[in-house]
Each structure stands twice: as structure tokens, then as C-alpha cells.
Amino acid sequence: ELVREEGWQAEAYTGEEAEGKKIGETLGFELPVFLELYDGLLSMWKSNVFLRPLTHRFLRGAVQLVGRVLAFVREGLEGEIEFGGSVAGGVEGRSEGTGEGDDATTTLERIADVPGYFWNERVEDIAVVSWELTILDTCMSRDYLDTIADTVCPSDEESRRSTHNSPVELDEMRLLASEVLAES
């Protein structure tokens, strides 16, 4: 919604600033929406979030998140999404303020601040989104796959014993996750 209203540079990243900076510097993401996506994907596999019996659901959730972003990009490339200046994703009259007497703005007023445009008509938008998608593809097939494998099949001996993973199972898991991510 925010990206539709303000364009690709919209401050869509809601995670910790230090983490976003680390992801941006390490992997090369520049657009906040892609930082948000990748941070969300990584957070699913953190030890305080991940539940081993639900591995298949975490993997499906990751595929769904990426799929939604790719659908948004595809719709934009096909000229179906107008950024800024229209009511396209907004709800008329919805208040963004906290209540009576404040300087609440409606979605209509906020969207009108950015002139309407289709991002598929702007070479600079196409270039930066293409770059972000290239980075995402590389990350999904390498770094993210390692994150999944290290969480599901830890490599240290003590953790491996408690999860009952053999080296063959680790390789199998890595291959399976790779195939699922590649197909999505």
C-alpha cells in the first residue's frame, strides 16, 4: 500500500535500522520494500520463531511472501498498478490521525502529494527493480538456502544430535529447499 502511494523509495522497511543497514550493505538491497521482504524471510528462521515440526509451513510462508512481491512487480510491469496520485489502493475518507481536532489526513490527501505514474514507464524504476530482483534471486538460491538449512539441520555436532540429522539428511534438506525455492 505504502509503495503504491509513494513509489519504490517509500519507507516500507519496519525492522530494526541496524538490521536493515546490515542487509543493505551485505547483500546490496537498496529499496526498502525488498529490505522488508528479505528481513521478513530471515526472521521466519530465527531460533526464537522457528518450530521444527512446522518446517513445511515456514517454507510455504516464505514462498507465499516472495510470490506476493513478484505478483506486485509483475502487475506493475503490465501497467496495472499506478503509483501515487490516484485513489488506486486507498480508501476514501480513511483517517490517518488519532482522533478529533488533530491534523489527520485522508488517504486521498496523502496520495495526491505524489503525482500519479506507472512505474513501468520510468527507466530508472525498471532498472532499480530489476537489480533488486537479481539480488533477491541470488540471495534465495544461496544465502537464504543456507539460512534454512542451518536452522532445520544445524551443522554443529551437539545440535545435530538433538535434531537427529545425518550429513545425508542435511544434503537432502538443502536439495529439497533449493527445488522448492527455485520452482517458486
Side-chain angles (χ1 to χ4, degrees):
E1 181 83 21
L2 187 61
V3 174
R4 280 187 192 203
E5 295 170 3
E6 299 177 13
W8 287 112
Q9 297 298 330
E11 290 300 321
Y13 182 68
T14 60
E16 293 181 24
E17 187 178 332
E19 190 64 28
K21 188 174 181 176
K22 178 182 171 190
I23 292 170
E25 289 176 356
T26 306
L27 303 174
F29 287 113
E30 295 177 13
L31 296 177
V33 69
F34 284 92
L35 284 171
E36 180 72 11
L37 171 64
Y38 201 70
D39 186 48
L41 290 170
L42 290 175
S43 69
M44 295 171 67
W45 302 98
K46 290 183 178 176
S47 61
N48 62 340
V49 175
F50 176 72
L51 298 169
R52 187 173 169 83
L54 300 177
T55 300
H56 64 290
R57 293 197 180 187
F58 280 87
L59 193 55
R60 182 172 54 183
V63 169
Q64 287 176 340
L65 285 173
V66 172
R68 288 182 182 171
V69 170
L70 293 179
F72 179 75
V73 169
R74 188 176 311 111
E75 289 171 7
L77 280 173
E78 294 169 354
E80 297 174 15
I81 298 175
E82 183 179 10
F83 280 10
S86 76
V87 188
V91 177
E92 187 171 350
R94 185 182 75 203
S95 175
E96 297 293 326
T98 56
E100 297 176 25
D102 61 8
D103 292 327
T105 59
T106 65
T107 302
L108 288 176
E109 292 169 333
R110 197 161 32 92
I111 292 174
D113 291 343
V114 176
Y117 69 95
F118 292 94
W119 73 267
N120 67 336
E121 297 172 354
R122 296 174 55 170
V123 173
E124 61 273 12
D125 279 357
I126 293 172
V128 74
V129 171
S130 296
W131 178 247
E132 297 290 295
L133 289 171
T134 301
I135 294 170
L136 181 63
D137 181 55
T138 302
C139 290
M140 294 299 287
S141 62
R142 294 186 184 142
D143 298 332
Y144 192 63
L145 186 56
D146 290 343
T147 299
I148 294 171
D150 291 344
T151 302
V152 177
C153 303
S155 57
D156 64 282
E157 195 61 39
E158 184 177 330
S159 296
R160 188 176 297 174
R161 270 184 294 207
S162 68
T163 57
H164 308 291
N165 291 116
S166 69
V168 172
E169 291 170 323
L170 175 60
D171 291 340
E172 235 176 77
M173 204 320 280
R174 203 177 280 273
L175 178 64
L176 177 63
S178 174
E179 289 173 358
V180 167
L181 293 173
E183 285 180 23
S184 68

